[in-house]
Amino acid sequence: MTTLGSASAPPGEFDTGRLSVGETRDGSTVGLPVAVLNGAEDGKTLYVQAVSDGDELNGLGVINRLVPQLDPEEIAGEILFVGIVNYHAFQVAEHRNPIDDTKMNRAYPGDANGTSSERIAAATFEAAKRADMIVDLHQGRTSRMINETRVRCGPRHRLHRECLELAKVFGTGYVLDQKGPDGQLARAAPDNGIPTIDPELGGAVGWDEESIEIGLEGMFRVLRYYGFLDGDVDRDVQTRASGFDQYGSPAGGLVTFEVDLGERVERGDTLFEVTDAFGSLKGRVTADNDGIFWRSRRLPQVATGEYVCSVGTDIDEF
């Protein structure tokens, strides 16, 4: 029997339920939507979660499309799903948990007796620790971003090779291979011996169908490659960035970009210009290093010093 929260399924079956993580202010139980798929045959265990950040919905779109296409009778192993991790932020369409003003993906491995976010992190991490591998579905908030997969354990970690392998199998085409901040699931889980990736599926207000399709194909590639489903997988060459340059605005005004997402840039190339409301130039920003134009803000208006864009650097292929 495979269980997660109130979801429970014997071999060859699927079930949904709720994982209790506390109460709301009126005393109602907070239950994260969860599902378990217990394959008819023995195999590995995969843990998948989405909406760790409350306004990042493309991962939920992937789970929403994936689960109806999976037949437990055709699966070897177990798949554990948490559809919405950051319950409170999801309800109000915000990035951070409004109960404790915390970014959920900085709270792992959590604390069962801690803040709201720490308790949610502890409950989901307890489930994730049962897995042989983890896919933590994200997106670049509401900004514009290429579809990429992040490996956050750091190049010296004992599971770095396994995490890179999982990222290559997922196959978005781009990988950010850079040690992440403390508290990320993709940092905490490898420390517990579990290869983990953090796909950042574009960036959108709501969700984006193209990025969801890329994520859906990535999940099927993982399921086939690691033996949950029958089928062969060709591991395509991935473009990897090991560094990340971020750029703010030198002045307040309106941004015009001179490069597109995914475009190669060389040191000294103009990334964007800032003008006033009447088109007069107020500032121009150029690339500090060679790289790939990785991410940019969605709205044109900026204040002095406000984030504008990012360039992936130290590029290679693997």
Side-chain angles (χ1 to χ4, degrees), residues 46 48 59 62 66 134-138 147-150 163-175 197-201 211-223 225-226 233-236 238 318:
L46 171 66
V48 184
V62 171
L66 174 65
I134 295 170
V135 178
D136 183 14
L137 296 166
H138 286 262
N147 294 284
E148 48 132 335
T149 304
R150 295 189 171 184
C163 292
L164 273 184
E165 180 78 1
L166 183 55
K168 187 168 186 173
V169 171
F170 195 87
T172 58
Y174 294 94
V175 172
I197 56 172
D198 177 349
E200 296 275 353
L201 299 173
S211 293
I212 290 171
E213 285 301 317
I214 289 171
L216 181 62
E217 178 57 28
M219 289 304 309
F220 274 114
R221 290 169 61 86
V222 168
L223 291 173
Y225 184 84
Y226 291 99
V233 174
D234 292 327
R235 294 174 301 151
D236 298 329
Q238 304 292 295
F318 74 99

Side-chain angles (χ1 to χ4, degrees), residues 244-247 271 292-296 307-312:
F244 219 36
D245 290 343
Q246 298 193 64
Y247 297 88
L271 299 176
I292 294 174
F293 195 65
W294 206 269
R295 179 176 179 176
S296 68
Y307 172 81
V308 176
C309 65
S310 301
V311 172

